[in-house]
Amino acid sequence: MSTNREFFYRKLHSLLGVIPLGAFLVVHFMINYQAVNGPEAYNQAAGFMEKLPFLLVLEFVMIYIPILFHGIYGLYIAFQAKHNTSTYSYFRNWMFRLQRWTGVITIIFVAWHVWDTRIAKALGAEVNYDMVANIVANPIALTLYIISIIAASFHLANGLWSFAVTWGITVSPRSQVIATYVTMGIFLAMSFVGVRAILAFV
């Protein structure tokens, strides 16, 4: 029974990492990228999201609850994992280790980001260009944002590779090699969009 439960939890963890969390990250990056076109463009995009009906319910169902499960169970996996990169320096073993490291970085960053934005909004602050600009005006905060954006981008991209294997989409070694190139392309694209977006607030 415990084996079946573990199998179910790992499947659910993998699924939630892609839907809805991965989809949300892509949308979030796209909205932030509007800052490249100036404060007005960003405020318009962010304002549209803020005016969605039942926003708080959507945030809890589509973001907060899934990210809590994915993050907590992901930390459990990270600390239970037995890495063998010190003995076997295979590419995929290193990707496995990096997935755990970036997961820890991402969950810490998400908690900080929620505190800086959503909690601030609940306390009366307005979510707009100036809010983000004020956060990243601190060079240390900006550096941490860039590191976290790259970590989150890697975690999603490599997570897509794991998702494809876990769900039986890429079974053969050749398909897994192709998936590696595709997901690393996604990682580079996401990193570019995310970093370019945050620099637009500086």
Side-chain angles (χ1 to χ4, degrees):
M1 180 65 74
S2 60
T3 303
N4 290 338
R5 191 183 300 118
E6 180 84 5
F7 176 79
F8 171 76
Y9 286 157
R10 284 182 178 268
K11 282 275 195 177
L12 182 60
H13 175 264
S14 174
L15 180 63
L16 290 178
V18 176
I19 306 167
L21 297 178
F24 168 74
L25 185 63
V26 172
V27 171
H28 194 54
F29 275 25
M30 291 297 105
I31 291 171
N32 289 347
Y33 195 77
Q34 296 306 308
V36 172
N37 300 317
E40 258 189 57
Y42 174 79
N43 289 339
Q44 185 176 357
F48 171 78
M49 296 299 292
E50 292 295 319
K51 291 173 184 173
L52 286 175
F54 310 108
L55 179 61
L56 190 59
V57 175
L58 286 172
E59 286 181 334
F60 268 93
V61 174
M62 303 297 291
I63 303 170
Y64 300 142
I65 294 174
I67 208 168
L68 272 175
F69 175 83
H70 188 80
I72 293 171
Y73 193 72
L75 287 173
Y76 166 78
I77 294 174
F79 288 110
Q80 290 292 315
K82 295 178 180 178
H83 307 291
N84 62 358
T85 51
S86 58
T87 306
Y88 304 104
S89 298
Y90 295 123
F91 173 76
R92 188 45 59 184
N93 288 334
W94 277 108
M95 298 297 274
F96 176 84
R97 173 167 275 185
L98 287 172
Q99 184 71 0
R100 303 307 174 230
W101 289 346
T102 55
V104 172
I105 292 170
T106 300
I107 198 66
I108 293 171
F109 170 71
V110 166
W112 172 37
H113 186 58
V114 168
W115 175 265
D116 264 350
T117 56
R118 309 316 293 176
I119 302 300
K121 179 196 172 187
L123 295 175
E126 186 178 354
V127 179
N128 57 20
Y129 181 94
D130 291 337
M131 170 188 270
V132 183
N134 287 335
I135 293 171
V136 298
N138 183 324
I140 295 175
L142 176 61
T143 302
L144 292 175
Y145 258 75
I146 291 173
I147 292 170
S148 301
I149 286 167
I150 293 172
S153 298
F154 177 88
H155 194 74
L156 172 59
N158 193 56
L160 287 171
W161 186 93
S162 300
F163 174 85
V165 173
T166 300
W167 289 86
I169 298 170
T170 52
V171 179
S172 69
R174 184 172 184 274
S175 66
Q176 291 175 11
V177 170
I178 293 172
T180 297
Y181 285 112
V182 172
T183 53
M184 286 304 96
I186 292 172
F187 161 59
L188 292 174
M190 288 284 292
S191 294
F192 172 79
V193 171
V195 173
R196 179 71 180 86
I198 203 64
L199 290 177
F201 291 96
V202 178

